[in-house]
Amino acid sequence: MDRYVCQICGYIYDPAAGDPDNGVAAGTKFEDVSDDWECPVCGASKEDFEKEA
Amino acid sequence: MKPVEISEKIYDVGVIDWNIRDFHGYSTELGTSYNAFLIMDEKVVLIDSVKKDFSDELLRNISRIVDPGKIDMVVSNHTEMDHSGGLPRVMHRIGEGKPVYCSAMGLKNLQKHFAHNLNYQPVKNGETLSIGKRTLTFLETKMLHWPDSMFTYLNEDKILFSSDAFGQHYAGCEAFDDQVDEHLIMLHAKKYFANILLLYAPLILKLVEKVVDMGLEIKMICPDHGILWRKNPNKIIEAYVRWSKQEPEKKAVIIYDTMWHSTQLMAEAIAEGIHEKGVYVKPMKLRDSHRSDVMTEVLDSKAVVVGSPTLNNGLFPTLADFLTYMKGLRPKNKIGAAFGSYGWSGEAVGLIHQQLEGMKFKMIDSGLKHQYVPDSQGLEMCREMGKKIGQAVLDS
């Protein structure tokens, strides 16, 4: 599963870990994360993320 | 300084740092201030603290209005130590059990700054708190400019306590925008934006939209540095929108360093060419101009022309410093060009070109190199390059 990087603050969304503090279970693919989810560090929206190179 | 009553029963109790000239690598030639605010309502509220070394001065300022022990609560809009460093000392004086309101990220970050745990009360975006006749509304402003940043809005007085946003590093006895030279203060607000906030420009645009949608009426903006905006708070908001959009002006900046003046000769000939096209241009030598002043010029320049001699098969060190700094601030919509003199290997121009391309600058050509001292033909080539840059700026 691909990791995605926040283009604003550099936070990396790792699907293996998810974002349990904000209701995203471990093992959730980035594509399956809800559209209104925000970067837990800086509040950027999902569209501000790019696939890790 | 004596506290200033900025609105009925609301005081600026902050301190002035007259002598600071280097603020974590940003040149503060006018000094700065760490503003903190005291609201005297049924509850007494302190908004923000100051840099650690100024804690006693803050407490003395508060004492001129009220016994600090009477403060009921503190709001920490931002964890950075120029606004939170005084917190442990202040809390020790006013009572360590008193609540400290902060954002959710503020809670995490304050705990990583101070070993002693305080009574942190994290608040959510939009949450309100009654302090008697008045109400505070907390607005999360993540990455403006740290993850913990928030604004506090005083509903009845329509005052926005905006933390670092809309600030300027300016030390002066004046408190308000209508008491100072407007051009000077806007220049320092611009410098602050260019050096601290530029990389978050997309978030700033979203945030301003959010505030407009909420229909918040703002009579006064109180940042944590410099003067307060009361004459026309919209002026600074509009400037932030303009700077965030990154639509540069038709001007150019030439950023260079030089060893035996050859790269300098090239820089000045390029400037002549740009000027011939009627485009404003400013050559800046990095050992004589501070990186933060150069970055201020970059903010609204369409063309960013960068020159370096080749030293030890690489870039001159001040260029490596500046290019790293500029890359981190992520300027957009620029035209770029590289130049430099060299002795025998000449790698610097290629390295600059590569780095500017990496920042998505639209490069004018592959760069201009000259071996040793440019002669009249060499200088003519520089003038031609300048004209090409000037024309590209005009066509943009």
Side-chain angles (χ1 to χ4, degrees), chain A residues 7-10 21 39-45 47-48, chain B residues 105 108 140 142-143 146-148 199-200 202-203 206 330:
Chain A
Q7 299 302 300
I8 306 287
C9 73
D21 288 351
C39 172
V41 172
C42 75
S45 52
E47 66 198 34
D48 292 318
Chain B
M105 290 304 286
K108 288 187 187 175
E140 215 170 43
K142 281 182 172 181
M143 300 323 274
W146 275 20
D148 49 68
L199 71 165
Y200 303 121
L203 284 181
K206 271 202 244 174
R330 301 182 207 164

Side-chain angles (χ1 to χ4, degrees), chain A residues 1 3 15 27 29 44-45:
Chain A
M1 285 190 288
R3 305 199 319 164
K29 277 195 224 165
S45 52

Side-chain angles (χ1 to χ4, degrees), chain B residues 9 20 43-44 65 72 87 91 96 111 184 191 200 204 226 280 282 285 319 346 365 386:
Chain B
K9 300 272 181 200
I20 189 168
K43 301 281 186 198
V44 179
I65 310 296
D72 295 291
L87 205 52
M91 296 314 290
E96 285 179 345
Q111 284 170 334
L184 178 76
K191 180 171 176 178
Y200 303 121
I204 293 169
Y280 175 86
K282 187 167 182 171
K285 182 180 147 200
L319 268 301
D365 57 22

